């Protein structure tokens, strides 16, 4: 009888352990996913949906580019998953990325740009400060535990930012629109958020006051602190969950009385840059996306050589590359985008600055390109 009893006890214990493990696994998954529903953001409804429906960019329930695009192009014989896992590309730096703490402005009217990493930058123009696509979280993901992780820390804390006059968002992908960063800026700053149509639904859900949300369609402008800020076309897409293109994407023109800056957001190369340059240029500086490209998605992200094309179409002065170095989002080498850009800029006599994250670039006196990234590539 004793052996049989022990067997029953062992079976009961096994069932208990399996049940406990199952509950622990479910609890773990719930903990990992606890912030995901909120991070997915909101959806268009009411007056916001009605306004979106009136946009020339909106039809059949979604926003569209002006030209036909595809987010993924068939590439026969290529296995992207295998390349992601077994590819020989050097997609991470070999040593820490050098960070700089931005120096304080020497004069209130000094025209300068600070790149904090990825697409996040601060424009100091005519005594005003405009923050682009702020992203301070460790991962660009709806979860804090999974998803692409930063390759370097932010060079400053969010609470170390100076008072801002405007915060611009180019589109709602996680590496450009981050819930935790938005909530921190809502609490710590008073600046309005200027966003493309529909993106305000996300900000609503995250507690941004309605009076601080300004939604613009392409070609619409808003004056902030003496600056004229205009949403201009881009060639990209949007989406934070299973639904695609429920919000608009844009590039941005920031114009003072004497200085002008253009920011591409994420975009493929298209003829819209020449039109923007003709209408809003010339620009003293352009901030242009150069990373996360691939021949599998050629119409929604620019190759580095196309970034130079766009800069010249825009009638730009100083070119500052963004959207590289901070997150591993494509299959190319970590340093390839800036190496290709530098070579193309030299070949076409384009003025280029490649700051370290946190480095303050005075547009009238930019630092010489020194290849700092090559030592850690």
């Amino acid at each position: 009888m004793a052996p049989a009893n022990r067997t029953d006890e062992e079976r009961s214990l096994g069932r208990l352990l399996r049940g406990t493990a199952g509950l622990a696994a479910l609890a773990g998954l719930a903990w990992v996913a606890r912030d995901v529903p909120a991070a997915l953001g909101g959806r268009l409804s009411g007056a916001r949906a009605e306004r979106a429906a009136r946009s020339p960019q909106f039809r059949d329930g979604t926003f569209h580019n002006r030209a036909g695009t595809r987010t993924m192009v068939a590439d026969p014989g290529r296995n992207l998953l295998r390349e992601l896992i077994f590819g020989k590309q050097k997609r991470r730096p070999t040593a820490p990325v050098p960070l700089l703490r931005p120096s304080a402005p020497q004069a209130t009217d000094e025209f300068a740009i600070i790149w904090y990493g990825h697409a996040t930058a601060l424009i100091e123009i005519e005594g005003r400060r405009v923050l682009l696509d702020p992203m301070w979280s460790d991962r660009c993901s709806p979860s804090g535990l999974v998803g692409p992780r930063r390759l370097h820390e932010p060079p400053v804390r969010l609470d170390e930012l100076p008072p801002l006059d405007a915060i611009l968002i180019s589109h709602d992908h996680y590496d450009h629109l981050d819930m935790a960063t938005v909530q921190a800026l809502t609490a710590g700053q008073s600046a309005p958020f200027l966003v493309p149509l529909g993106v305000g639904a996300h900000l609503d859900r995250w507690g941004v006051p309605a009076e601080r949300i300004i939604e613009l369609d392409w070609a619409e402008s808003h004056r902030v602190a003496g600056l004229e800020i205009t949403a201009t076309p881009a060639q990209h897409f949007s989406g934070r969950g299973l639904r695609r293109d429920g919000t608009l994407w844009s590039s941005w023109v920031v114009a003072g009385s004497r200085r002008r800056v253009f920011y591409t957001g994420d975009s493929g190369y298209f003829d819209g840059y020449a039109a923007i340059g003709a209408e809003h240029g010339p620009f003293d500086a352009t901030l242009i996306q150069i990373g996360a490209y691939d021949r599998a998605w050629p119409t929604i992200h620019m190759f580095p050589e196309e970034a130079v094309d766009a800069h010249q179409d825009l009638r730009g002065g100083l070119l500052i590359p963004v959207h590289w170095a901070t997150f591993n989002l494509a299959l190319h080498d970590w340093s390839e985008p800036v190496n290709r850009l530098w070579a193309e800029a030299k070949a076409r006599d384009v003025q280029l600055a490649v700051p370290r994250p946190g480095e303050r670039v005075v547009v009238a006196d930019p630092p010489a390109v020194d290849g700092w990234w090559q030592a850690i590539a």
Side-chain angles (χ1 to χ4, degrees):
M1 291 296 294
N5 288 338
R6 284 197 299 271
T7 300
D8 289 342
E9 290 170 359
E10 289 169 356
R11 289 172 180 167
S12 297
L13 180 59
R15 287 195 294 269
L16 178 60
L17 291 174
R18 287 193 296 272
T20 302
L23 288 172
L26 288 173
L29 287 172
W31 188 79
V32 168
R34 68 195 187 284
D35 293 329
V36 169
L40 291 175
R43 297 192 66 172
L44 275 69
S45 62
R48 181 172 282 117
E50 293 172 4
R51 185 181 176 199
R54 295 193 296 269
S55 168
Q57 282 60 251
F58 194 87
R59 62 181 182 275
D60 301 324
T62 60
F63 288 96
H64 293 261
N65 291 302
R66 290 179 174 172
T69 58
R70 296 176 61 185
T71 56
M72 190 67 70
V73 176
D75 194 348
R78 187 181 184 198
N79 187 314
L80 288 174
L81 181 59
R82 182 182 297 120
E83 192 173 340
L84 176 66
I85 299 172
F86 300 110
K88 303 301 183 183
Q89 300 96 336
K90 298 178 180 178
R91 296 196 288 264
R92 303 175 64 88
T94 60
V97 176
L99 307 179
L100 294 181
R101 290 187 62 82
S103 58
Q106 300 303 305
T108 57
D109 199 36
E110 195 168 50
F111 181 33
I113 294 170
I114 302 170
W115 177 58
Y116 293 119
H118 199 55
T120 303
L122 181 70
I123 300 170
E124 298 177 350
I125 179 172
E126 298 181 6
R128 306 301 184 185
R129 297 184 181 94
V130 179
L131 185 64
L132 306 178
D133 281 349
M135 171 50 169
W136 259 259
S137 287
D138 190 46
R139 297 182 187 272
C140 53
S141 165
S143 168
L145 296 178
V146 295
R149 192 170 190 176
R150 299 184 72 96
L151 301 175
H152 66 82
E153 293 296 318
V156 297
R157 300 192 313 270
L158 264 174
D159 61 6
E160 295 178 308
L161 289 178
L164 303 172
D165 294 284
I167 302 164
L168 309 188
I169 305 296
S170 64
H171 63 296
D172 72 0
H173 286 159
Y174 291 101
D175 56 324
H176 295 256
L177 179 64
D178 177 63
M179 180 179 72
T181 303
V182 166
Q183 291 175 330
L185 288 170
T186 301
Q189 296 276 350
S190 60
F193 291 82
L194 279 68
V195 302
L197 285 181
V199 174
H202 302 316
L203 305 189
D204 272 346
R205 183 169 188 185
W206 300 337
V208 180
E211 63 271 17
R212 289 181 62 183
I213 301 171
I214 299 164
E215 293 185 77
L216 299 178
D217 200 351
W218 294 346
E220 291 184 340
S221 300
H222 185 81
R223 289 195 69 81
V224 177
L227 302 174
E228 185 84 5
I229 300 178
T230 305
T232 44
Q235 186 168 281
H236 199 55
F237 68 108
S238 67
R240 296 177 73 83
L242 297 177
R243 186 169 184 255
R244 286 281 183 89
D245 303 334
T247 63
L248 187 59
W249 46 95
S250 74
S251 56
W252 291 100
V253 171
V254 179
S257 60
R258 304 179 309 281
R259 302 293 189 183
R260 290 173 175 264
V261 183
F262 178 80
Y263 168 50
T264 59
D266 278 4
S267 179
Y269 178 74
F270 71 126
D271 59 8
Y273 292 124
I276 294 167
E279 182 175 357
H280 297 281
F283 293 98
D284 300 280
T286 66
L287 294 102
I288 298 187
Q289 166 253 307
I290 66 164
Y293 52 80
D294 195 278
R295 65 180 188 268
W297 49 87
T299 61
I300 57 169
H301 274 234
M302 278 184 281
F303 293 90
E305 295 78 11
E306 292 176 322
V308 178
D309 291 334
H311 175 79
Q312 293 188 321
D313 288 350
L314 290 158
R315 302 161 64 204
L318 177 67
L319 192 166
I320 299 178
V322 298
H323 207 274
W324 78 283
T326 308
F327 294 104
N328 181 359
L329 301 175
L331 300 175
H332 54 65
D333 285 356
W334 175 79
S335 62
E336 181 184 297
V338 71
N339 283 333
R340 289 174 59 170
L341 178 75
W342 193 15
E344 190 71 10
K346 287 188 288 188
R348 296 164 67 174
D349 197 27
V350 165
Q351 187 181 29
L352 178 69
V354 185
R356 295 156 178 80
E359 186 172 1
R360 186 171 181 269
V361 174
V362 177
V363 174
D365 186 25
V369 181
D370 61 5
W372 60 264
W373 61 90
Q374 293 178 339
I376 59 173

